[in-house]
Each structure stands twice: as structure tokens, then as C-alpha cells.
Amino acid sequence: MPTTAAPMPFAGPRLRPPCNLTSARPGPRRAGLAVVSAAAGGSPPTVLVTGAGGRTGQIVYKKLKERTDQFVGRGLVRTEESKAKIGGAADVFVGDIRDPASIAPAIDGIDALIILTSAVPKMKPGFDPSKGGRPEFYFDEGSYPEQVDWIGQKNQIDAAKSIGVKQIVLVGSMGGTDVNHPLNKIGNANILVWKRKAEQYLADSGLPYTIIRAGGLQDKDGGVRELIVGKDDEILKTETKTIARADVAEVCLQALLFEEARFKAFDLASKPEGEGVPTTDFRTLFSQSLLRRRLLMEELKNIAVC
């Protein structure tokens, strides 16, 4: 893998319309995954969170383990060190999302999948903030967004579909409607473009999905702010374009509880603490009129991801 520029997933200079989405038609209305399991008198659904060693993934994994009446939680991490960091339990699997065989044991038998894996840039050594300028970033060889955010997420979706998983929650990022967004320039790796390609693949899969495009992530307490949903990166034009990781984690779990969250893709941020009313009614949040089913088709109409 070259260390200068990752290949662009475009066929040419002009952006093409999105791929055919006919396979992503929503099925009959039904309750959320956990509600169905409870109503049927069965055990709680088994939910795997990948990227469980990350800062947001750790919160999701912890929440899953705390809510044993609703979920049977599992985690997938990349290294033994990450496994130890979140407690080293037997339900935390070690695997490489770029290798389908290595993640198969973690996915076997799950009912739902929460994808929180993402390529992580590193700062080039030698940056001195006292001298001004901006730091430069790079990705380790084999760990570019193309390998992690596209191929790695595709592998997860394929594995989940092969066992008949009932829902996938995918956490992405706002900014994907702009191919010239600064995040795409980090390491010349087009991270948002590859993320959108994975989103499209999930929408094409026919599986029930919830795609959450989070705003700027903050390490703050959750549950104390009013959440905001949007589309087409409109939130980025406002002053309220950040969100606590804990709130993103909560929305991931709530998306498994309500049918209204299925087959939807949306941007997510929050008002500042103390402004508005903290969100507790997630059914209403997912039911907002702007979150139309298969919204992904409209949002991707100007993004070349085929």
C-alpha cells in the first residue's frame, strides 16, 4: 500500500448516481429486535459490537453488559491488549475485520451487529505546534480506510448476512456529502468516501439497518442533552454539530428496540448541555418525518460509491 494516496473509488471526474437499492425494501412493520424476543418469551438477543476496544465501542459494550434483561452482549477487538483493556471476558473475541475467517467465531449465533470499527490516522513525528502550521497524518500499511472502513465493514456485513442476522447498526460520520471534506484529506485516504461506500453496501444488502452519522465526538457524560437528527450534513452548517460518545452509544442500543429505527440513515448531534430537554423518548426521535425510510437513497444521490 502506498503511503501517499489511497485509490479514489471513482470511475471518473464526474460523480455518479448511487447503486440500485431495490434490495433494501423494508419489510412489514414489526417491533424492535429486543421487544420481539421478549414478547416471544425467548432469551434476549445476542448483540455483537465490533471495535469494542475503541472509545465509543467500550461504552456500547459496557451498556450491553449492564442490560442483561434486554441483550446478551459480545465484543470484537483487534488485539489481546484491547481485550484486556475492557476486562478480558470470554465474550470478547479477538479478530481482524480484514480477514473474514478471523471474525466468524464472533459473529456466529448473533442476532444483531453494531459496527464501530474505523481506520485510525496517526500523526507524523516531528510536529512542533510552537512553530505553527498543521500536523500531518498517515495510516499504517494495510490499515487505510479502504481496507478498514470499506473492506472490513463489507466483511462484517457479509458474515452477518450469511447467518441471517436480524439488524445491523452502523456508526459513521457526518461530512460524507462533500468529497472535498477535510477528513478525506487526512493521509490522502478519503475516509468519508469509503465509509459511504460501506453504507451503500449495507443498504443494498436487504438487511434491516440503522446508519448513524455522528457529529464531532466528545468524551462527556451522556443522557444530559437534547439530541438532534438531520440529513444531508445540514447540521454541519449550525453551531450544534457535536455529540457525546455516550449518547451515540445509547442511540445504538435504542435502535435495536424500536421498529421506527429500521431502514433509516441519519445525522446525529446534540444541543449544548442546559439547552433544550434531554432526550429520553427515542421512539419519537426515530419517528421524525425527516427520517424517511430508505433516506439513504436521497442522501447518496450525489456521492459516487458504486
Side-chain angles (χ1 to χ4, degrees):
M1 167 62 62
T3 57
T4 54
M8 287 283 287
F10 299 104
R14 298 193 62 179
L15 299 179
R16 301 175 298 171
C19 305
N20 188 318
L21 296 184
T22 56
S23 62
R25 292 173 182 165
R29 286 183 63 85
R30 52 186 173 179
L33 175 62
V35 175
V36 168
S37 296
S43 60
T46 299
V47 181
L48 171 68
V49 54
T50 62
R55 284 185 288 176
T56 308
Q58 289 184 51
I59 302 172
V60 173
Y61 176 72
K62 181 180 179 181
K63 285 177 176 287
L64 286 171
K65 300 300 292 182
E66 290 173 345
R67 302 180 190 182
T68 55
D69 59 327
Q70 292 180 308
F71 308 106
V72 175
R74 286 187 191 177
L76 176 70
V77 297
R78 189 171 60 87
T79 65
E80 291 289 347
E81 290 77 12
S82 292
K83 178 174 179 174
K85 184 170 61 176
I86 60 174
D91 57 27
V92 177
F93 295 76
V94 177
D96 186 340
I97 61 171
R98 299 167 299 181
D99 175 11
S102 76
I103 64 174
I107 288 179
D108 183 42
I110 66 171
D111 298 293
L113 172 64
I114 300 175
I115 299 177
L116 270 164
T117 53
S118 181
V120 179
K122 295 182 177 180
M123 185 186 298
K124 290 184 177 180
F127 173 68
D128 185 351
S130 66
K131 296 181 179 179
R134 296 182 178 181
E136 295 184 5
F137 295 89
Y138 70 99
F139 293 90
D140 285 336
E141 185 174 355
S143 297
Y144 275 70
E146 180 182 2
Q147 286 83 35
V148 177
D149 295 274
W150 163 231
I151 296 173
Q153 292 190 3
K154 177 180 179 294
N155 287 342
Q156 295 175 67
I157 295 166
D158 287 344
K161 186 173 182 178
S162 73
I163 66 162
V165 77
K166 300 177 179 66
Q167 187 172 354
I168 294 180
V169 177
L170 172 62
V171 178
S173 174
M174 285 195 284
T177 61
D178 180 11
V179 71
N180 295 313
H181 192 281
L183 287 178
N184 284 326
K185 298 178 181 178
I186 294 178
N188 295 316
N190 304 302
I191 188 168
L192 295 180
V193 176
W194 292 113
K195 284 181 180 292
R196 281 297 175 107
K197 187 174 176 69
E199 290 179 11
Q200 184 72 64
Y201 190 79
L202 175 56
D204 283 344
S205 72
L207 294 170
Y209 64 82
T210 306
I211 296 171
I212 302 167
R213 303 187 185 114
L217 296 172
Q218 298 182 319
D219 295 313
K220 296 182 177 181
D221 291 337
V224 295
R225 298 172 185 80
E226 181 174 329
L227 304 184
I228 304 167
V229 294
K231 63 184 180 69
D232 297 330
D233 289 332
E234 293 171 352
I235 292 176
L236 290 179
K237 301 173 185 177
T238 73
E239 296 301 316
T240 53
K241 50 193 174 185
T242 60
I243 186 167
R245 295 178 186 274
D247 284 327
V248 174
E250 184 63 32
V251 173
C252 287
L253 269 62
Q254 293 292 334
L256 300 176
L257 301 178
F258 297 103
E259 187 274 341
E260 289 82 358
R262 292 186 166 198
F263 296 99
K264 290 182 180 176
F266 52 90
D267 300 340
L268 182 67
S270 67
K271 293 182 180 180
E273 185 175 352
E275 181 179 323
V277 179
T279 297
T280 57
D281 184 352
F282 290 91
R283 185 188 297 275
T284 297
L285 182 78
F286 297 134
S287 299
Q288 292 186 43
S289 60
L290 66 89
L291 300 184
R292 296 179 297 278
R293 284 186 175 276
R294 296 170 69 197
L295 179 61
L296 188 64
M297 289 189 297
E298 300 173 24
E299 293 185 317
L300 291 180
K301 61 182 179 293
N302 293 321
I303 301 295
V305 293
C306 302

